[in-house]
Amino acid sequence: MKPVVYIETSVISYLTARPSRDMLVSAYQVATREWWTAASDRYELVASLLVIAEAGAGDRDAARSRLDTLKGVRLLETSPEIDLLAAALVDQGAVPHHAAGDAVHIATASCHAANYLVSWNFRHIANAAMNPRIARVCRQEGYELPFICTPSQLME
């Protein structure tokens, strides 16, 4: 059985965006494309309806490209448990109120027992300083936090 990887929206955005002139963003794009090439062979890729909603926003052509990329990714069901865990993450200060969507990504991956949550969102998801607080809230609520990493950290 393949490890399950929850793909947060930033990964799809870097994967499908036009090449950037910014050296750091360009490096993230290259790493994402390299990881994506082999990811479906090594992992079961999953996402959520929130990823679909976020990927479908903005420029119509870019949104279409993001959504086309997600066609082969299994969508996880929403549940009251996800809503409760996301609320707990925000209410207990593990994720800021203004980033409630990020709490939903974390809660979805946790409630569905994903092995990994892959993201380029260093503010509220792939943030080593916030990770212990996020993990504590998840454990208090009866869930294990998936290993949160970037695509480059998940390359073999």
Side-chain angles (χ1 to χ4, degrees):
M1 193 166 184
K2 295 179 185 179
V4 175
V5 177
Y6 179 91
I7 300 168
E8 187 265 332
T9 315
S10 62
V11 173
I12 299 301
S13 294
Y14 278 104
L15 180 65
T16 60
R18 287 185 292 228
S20 177
R21 291 180 187 217
D22 179 291
M23 290 177 58
L24 185 58
V25 172
S26 178
Y28 292 167
Q29 289 174 323
V30 169
T32 302
R33 288 184 193 112
E34 288 176 6
W35 176 77
W36 189 262
T37 301
S40 63
D41 292 337
R42 295 183 179 143
Y43 306 104
E44 179 184 356
L45 304 178
V46 299
S48 66
L49 292 175
L50 178 57
V51 173
I52 297 296
E54 290 174 346
D59 177 81
R60 187 171 34 120
D61 292 333
R64 184 178 307 119
S65 177
R66 290 188 295 267
L67 292 173
D68 285 347
T69 300
L70 286 164
K71 283 185 178 172
V73 174
R74 181 171 66 89
L75 293 181
L76 300 174
E77 297 289 323
T78 59
S79 70
E81 292 80 14
I82 291 170
D83 296 336
L84 289 170
L85 179 55
L89 288 164
V90 171
D91 292 344
Q92 295 183 41
V95 177
H97 286 281
H98 68 273
D102 294 339
V104 173
H105 289 301
I106 294 165
T108 302
S110 298
C111 289
H112 283 280
N115 301 98
Y116 301 95
L117 188 167
V118 67
S119 175
W120 286 113
N121 178 340
F122 295 116
R123 276 201 119 123
H124 307 119
I125 299 177
N127 181 316
M130 295 177 72
N131 192 275
R133 286 179 278 167
I134 293 168
R136 178 184 46 78
V137 172
C138 287
R139 278 193 304 277
Q140 281 176 202
E141 299 298 318
Y143 300 97
E144 280 299 314
L145 179 66
F147 187 83
I148 299 174
C149 59
T150 66
S152 60
Q153 292 172 314
L154 199 54
M155 284 194 225
E156 292 181 15

